[in-house]
């Protein structure tokens, strides 16, 4: 299990990801990103699963998160 906590607006939004994404993810970690929108996490997932993307959702939150894969 990989647990990720993102800080968005005034509350923490935790995510739990189970599985290794065909060996692309290291499990057993807790990652915390300060002041990152969840759009970047979802964009990171798209790229991990083979869907090339530079953003997800609103255009004001482009990019991915480093250190997940």
């Amino acid at each position: 299990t990989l647990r990720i906590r993102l800080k968005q607006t005034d509350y923490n939004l935790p995510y739990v990801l189970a599985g290794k994404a065909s060996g692309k993810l290291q499990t057993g970690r807790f990652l915390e990103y300060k002041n990152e929108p969840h759009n970047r996490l979802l964009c990171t997932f798209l790229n991990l699963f083979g869907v090339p993307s530079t953003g997800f959702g609103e255009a004001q939150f482009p990019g991915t998160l480093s250190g997940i894969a």
Side-chain angles (χ1 to χ4, degrees), residues 2-4 11-14 21-22 25-26 33-34 36 41-43 46 49 52 55-56 58-60 63 65 67:
L2 171 68
R3 287 184 275 170
I4 301 167
Y11 56 91
N12 285 320
L13 186 61
S22 298
L25 294 176
Q26 177 186 352
Y33 293 88
K34 303 274 185 187
E36 293 285 356
L41 175 64
L42 298 175
C43 182
L46 284 174
F49 300 135
F56 185 93
E58 297 182 36
Q60 64 185 5
L65 297 175

Side-chain angles (χ1 to χ4, degrees), residues 1-23:
T1 302
L2 171 68
R3 287 184 275 170
I4 301 167
R5 182 186 306 167
L6 299 173
K7 175 75 173 156
Q8 183 178 358
T9 63
D10 294 330
Y11 56 91
N12 285 320
L13 186 61
Y15 286 83
V16 176
L17 179 65
K20 296 181 181 181
S22 298

Side-chain angles (χ1 to χ4, degrees), residues 19-69:
K20 296 181 181 181
S22 298
K24 296 176 186 170
L25 294 176
Q26 177 186 352
T27 60
R29 300 181 296 161
F30 178 84
L31 304 173
E32 187 169 5
Y33 293 88
K34 303 274 185 187
N35 300 316
E36 293 285 356
H38 72 276
N39 305 61
R40 292 188 181 136
L41 175 64
L42 298 175
C43 182
T44 302
F45 287 159
L46 284 174
N47 285 285
L48 280 174
F49 300 135
V51 180
S53 180
T54 58
F56 185 93
E58 297 182 36
Q60 64 185 5
F61 302 116
T64 60
L65 297 175
S66 62
I68 293 180

